[in-house]
């Protein structure tokens, strides 16, 4: 075992791995974020889509239902009227007697018909609520191709629209052709008009109210979606801050606010793996305060805590940005030097020793001058490189610095061809036990 006090120039380091301690600083849960985004998207789609669905599907469906119900009413009315009208059949042809005409006029009032017509089998108007239509012929294709074949034919005629016979209506009406069949033979047809203006107006008023409610609910839904997003983001922020606080508590030393031993060892294990894979240089500095017990006994433990806190700050200012300092225990500190070999690590250690020696540790009532002893070890000089052996080598070097007079840097190099295990054991056992 060989202890040296060599000095050299620190190596310039690039591409240093970031500090990873096995704990994620941000624990975004992708599934939760995705779920919230999907909820927001669904709410917005529903809010925008509902009014469109109402206007393009629900309202037309209600209109269709009204027309279908009106057609059924017309069919029932025609069935009753047919019983009277077919009594006027002569020689297989339909005629309309004065008594039947009177009946039809009364039926219009009974069945709330706006207008009605009776056609012969060839399309001639035999009866109409409007006398001007009597005697005209319906030559339209729907009459001869559908009604004459026994099919009911219905059309919704909107206000100011044209009916099937070309008449412009001032109301919303349902125009229905119902064939008159006797023993399977087409003998004529009814054309019944129902005024559905009141129904349409009532339905439109209801749908207008529904539209307003849907617009209101859509606005509320959209606002709610954004509030959910903002609220979730705030909750995420609070949770992340809380997690970071927990991570700080788990990885940082409460007194000095630098990394604790657990964090340091987690990172050192990672860097040793990098060394085994890429043979990158790696060194460790272990140091503690000389005669720290004297500081505590003389000035009190509060002063001792102030010394440790100031020592951590001086160390952080002195080392490089990629180096990692941690409180290893008590007054003992450790520094991890990535990509740094034997000479470079000793230069950094000596720089730190001088910075501490020249600093004034101003406690509440006293100015204390302290020194530190530092042990340096480089992984490339360790016969069996692992965490325990590397730290032990630095600790042995620190012990030698203490034994050799304190306030100095010692480097320990293990080499199998220099000393035997017996010589090493004898050399360490001969050293006195020191009060650090």
């Amino acid at each position: 075992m060989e202890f040296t006090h060599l000095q050299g120039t620190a190596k310039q380091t690039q591409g240093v791995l970031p500090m990873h301690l096995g704990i994620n600083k941000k624990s975004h849960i992708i599934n939760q974020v995705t779920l919230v985004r999907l909820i927001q998207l669904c709410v917005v789609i529903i809010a925008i889509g509902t009014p469109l669905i109402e206007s393009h599907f629900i309202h037309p469906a209600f209109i269709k239902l009204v027309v279908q119900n009106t057609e059924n009413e017309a069919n029932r009315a025609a069935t009753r009227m047919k019983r009277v009208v077919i009594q006027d059949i002569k020689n297989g042809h339909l005629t309309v007697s004065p008594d039947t005409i009177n009946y039809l006029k009364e039926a219009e009032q009974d069945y709330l018909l706006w207008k009605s017509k009776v056609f012969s089998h060839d399309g001639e108007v035999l009866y109409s609520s409007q006398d001007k239509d009597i005697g005209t012929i319906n030559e339209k294709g729907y009459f001869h191709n559908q009604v004459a074949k026994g099919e009911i034919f219905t059309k919704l005629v909107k206000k100011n629209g044209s009916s099937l016979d070309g008449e412009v209506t001032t109301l919303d009406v349902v125009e229905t052709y119902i064939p008159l069949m006797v023993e399977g033979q087409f003998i004529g047809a009814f054309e019944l008009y129902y005024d559905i203006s009141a129904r349409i107006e009532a339905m439109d008023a209801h749908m207008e109210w529904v539209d307003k409610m849907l617009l209101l609910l859509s606005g509320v839904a959209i606002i709610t979606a954004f509030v959910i997003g903002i609220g979730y983001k705030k909750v995420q922020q609070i949770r992340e801050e809380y997690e970071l606080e927990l991570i700080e508590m788990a990885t940082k030393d409460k007194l000095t606010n630098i990394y604790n031993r657990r964090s340091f060892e987690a990172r050192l294990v990672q860097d040793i793996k990098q060394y085994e894979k890429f043979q990158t240089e790696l060194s460790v500095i272990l140091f503690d305060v000389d005669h720290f017990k004297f500081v505590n006994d003389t000035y009190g433990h509060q002063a001792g805590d102030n010394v440790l806190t100031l020592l951590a700050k001086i160390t952080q200012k002195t080392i490089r940005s990629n180096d990692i300092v941690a409180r290893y225990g008590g007054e003992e500190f450790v520094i991890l030097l990535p990509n740094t070999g034997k000479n470079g690590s000793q230069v950094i250690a000596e720089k730190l020793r001088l910075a501490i020696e020249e600093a004034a540790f101003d406690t509440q009532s006293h100015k204390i001058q302290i020194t530190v002893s530092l042990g340096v070890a480089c992984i490339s000089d360790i016969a069996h490189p692992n965490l325990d052996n590397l730290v032990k080598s630095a600790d042995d070097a620190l012990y030698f610095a203490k034994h050799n007079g304190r306030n100095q840097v010692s480097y320990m190099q293990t080499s199998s061809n220099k000393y035997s295990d017996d010589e090493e054991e004898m050399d360490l056992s001969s050293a006195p036990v020191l009060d650090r």
Side-chain angles (χ1 to χ4, degrees):
M1 179 176 293
E2 179 184 2
F3 296 93
T4 63
H5 301 283
L6 298 177
Q7 297 183 356
T9 304
K11 295 182 179 180
Q12 298 297 322
T13 59
Q14 295 180 353
V16 180
L17 293 174
M19 182 66 170
H20 294 297
L21 306 175
I23 303 176
N24 291 327
K25 290 188 176 182
K26 289 186 178 180
S27 59
H28 288 295
I29 302 177
I30 301 302
N31 290 338
Q32 291 184 359
V33 176
T34 303
L35 179 61
V36 171
R37 295 292 181 266
L38 285 176
I39 291 174
Q40 287 181 295
L41 181 61
C42 290
V43 169
V44 172
I45 290 175
I46 292 172
I48 296 175
T50 301
L52 295 176
I53 293 173
E54 186 277 328
S55 61
H56 288 79
F57 297 97
I58 298 177
H59 189 269
F62 274 108
I63 295 292
K64 184 177 180 181
L65 183 62
V66 170
V67 172
Q68 185 175 359
N69 289 337
T70 305
E71 180 182 294
N72 292 335
E73 289 181 25
N75 193 27
R76 288 192 294 269
T79 300
R80 295 184 178 89
M81 295 165 66
K82 174 183 175 182
R83 297 170 186 169
V84 175
V85 172
I86 61 175
Q87 295 177 6
D88 292 340
I89 297 176
K90 296 179 180 179
N91 300 323
H93 296 283
L94 181 65
T95 61
V96 178
S97 66
D99 292 338
T100 300
I101 292 174
N102 292 331
Y103 168 77
L104 291 174
K105 291 184 181 295
E106 293 176 358
E108 289 176 357
Q109 297 178 358
D110 293 339
Y111 299 125
L112 304 177
L113 296 174
W114 177 67
K115 179 181 176 181
S116 66
K117 294 180 184 179
V118 177
F119 291 88
S120 65
H121 72 283
D122 58 0
E124 180 184 358
V125 177
L126 302 178
Y127 166 79
S128 174
S129 303
Q130 299 176 347
D131 294 340
K132 65 182 182 64
D133 296 328
I134 297 175
T136 59
I137 305 295
N138 190 332
E139 297 179 347
K140 301 292 179 65
Y142 64 83
F143 185 88
H144 296 282
N145 297 330
Q146 291 178 259
V147 179
K149 293 181 180 180
E151 297 179 13
I152 297 176
F153 188 81
T154 300
K155 178 185 178 182
L156 170 64
V157 183
K158 293 186 177 182
K159 186 182 296 185
N160 299 321
S162 296
S163 64
L164 290 171
D165 56 10
E167 181 182 358
V168 177
T169 64
T170 58
L171 302 170
D172 293 311
V173 298
V174 173
E175 182 180 3
T176 305
Y177 282 81
I178 302 169
L180 283 170
M181 309 294 292
V182 177
E183 297 179 354
Q185 296 294 319
F186 176 70
I187 62 170
F190 287 110
E191 182 185 9
L192 305 181
Y193 292 79
Y194 276 89
D195 177 10
I196 61 169
S197 299
R199 302 182 197 179
I200 295 295
E201 289 176 2
M203 185 181 66
D204 286 344
H206 177 73
M207 296 308 296
E208 183 179 357
W209 179 85
V210 171
D211 288 342
K212 291 179 180 179
M213 292 302 298
L214 288 175
L215 288 174
L216 177 61
L217 292 175
S218 298
V220 172
I222 293 174
I223 293 173
T224 302
F226 282 103
V227 169
I228 289 174
I230 294 172
Y232 181 78
K233 185 176 180 181
K234 184 63 177 178
V235 170
Q236 281 289 92
Q237 181 182 353
I238 294 173
R239 189 184 72 177
E240 289 171 8
E241 291 174 355
Y242 179 68
E243 288 175 350
L244 289 174
E245 183 178 349
L246 291 179
I247 292 171
E248 288 286 318
M249 294 172 62
T251 61
K252 293 292 186 71
D253 176 62
K254 184 177 181 180
L255 176 64
T256 60
N257 199 35
I258 60 176
Y259 290 109
N260 57 26
R261 179 171 179 169
R262 175 187 176 277
S263 305
F264 173 82
E265 290 182 343
R267 170 57 191 267
L268 181 56
V269 168
Q270 294 179 16
D271 280 19
I272 290 174
K273 290 180 180 179
Q274 292 292 317
Y275 167 77
E276 293 172 348
K277 188 174 182 179
F278 302 108
Q279 297 299 304
T280 53
E281 292 284 7
L282 178 65
S283 297
V284 168
I285 299 174
L286 192 65
F287 68 96
D288 70 3
V289 181
D290 296 330
H291 304 296
F292 186 69
K293 185 176 184 300
F294 174 79
V295 174
N296 278 335
D297 292 344
T298 305
Y299 303 105
H301 288 278
Q302 183 64 46
D305 289 345
N306 291 339
V307 167
L308 295 178
T309 302
L310 294 172
L311 183 61
K313 292 180 179 178
I314 292 172
T315 303
Q316 287 178 310
K317 291 180 180 179
T318 305
I319 62 176
R320 303 165 303 182
S321 61
N322 55 285
D323 298 331
I324 297 165
V325 61
R327 188 180 180 190
Y328 208 61
E331 75 275 18
E332 201 167 40
F333 295 80
V334 65
I335 304 173
L336 177 62
L337 306 172
N339 295 336
T340 306
K342 172 182 176 180
N343 294 334
S345 59
Q346 292 180 88
V347 169
I348 295 172
E350 180 62 23
K351 180 181 178 182
L352 177 60
R353 187 196 67 79
L354 288 173
I356 294 172
E357 183 181 33
E358 295 171 356
F361 289 78
D362 191 5
T363 63
Q364 292 181 350
S365 57
H366 301 87
K367 287 188 177 181
I368 304 174
Q369 195 75 28
I370 69 167
T371 60
V372 294
S373 299
L374 305 95
V376 182
C378 181
I379 196 169
S380 60
D381 287 333
I382 305 298
H384 303 288
N386 57 40
L387 184 147
D388 292 336
N389 290 340
L390 182 58
V391 173
K392 183 179 183 303
S393 297
D395 190 52
D396 289 344
L398 171 60
Y399 185 87
F400 181 83
K402 292 284 188 181
H403 173 68
N404 203 42
R406 296 185 174 87
N407 190 23
Q408 61 182 270
V409 176
S410 291
Y411 180 83
M412 199 215 87
Q413 178 178 355
T414 301
S415 179
S416 59
N417 62 357
K418 288 180 181 280
Y419 298 98
S420 66
D421 292 340
D422 293 337
E423 289 174 323
E424 179 180 337
E425 181 178 355
M426 181 174 58
D427 180 46
L428 292 176
S429 64
S430 63
V433 178
L434 301 174
D435 171 22
R436 294 186 175 183

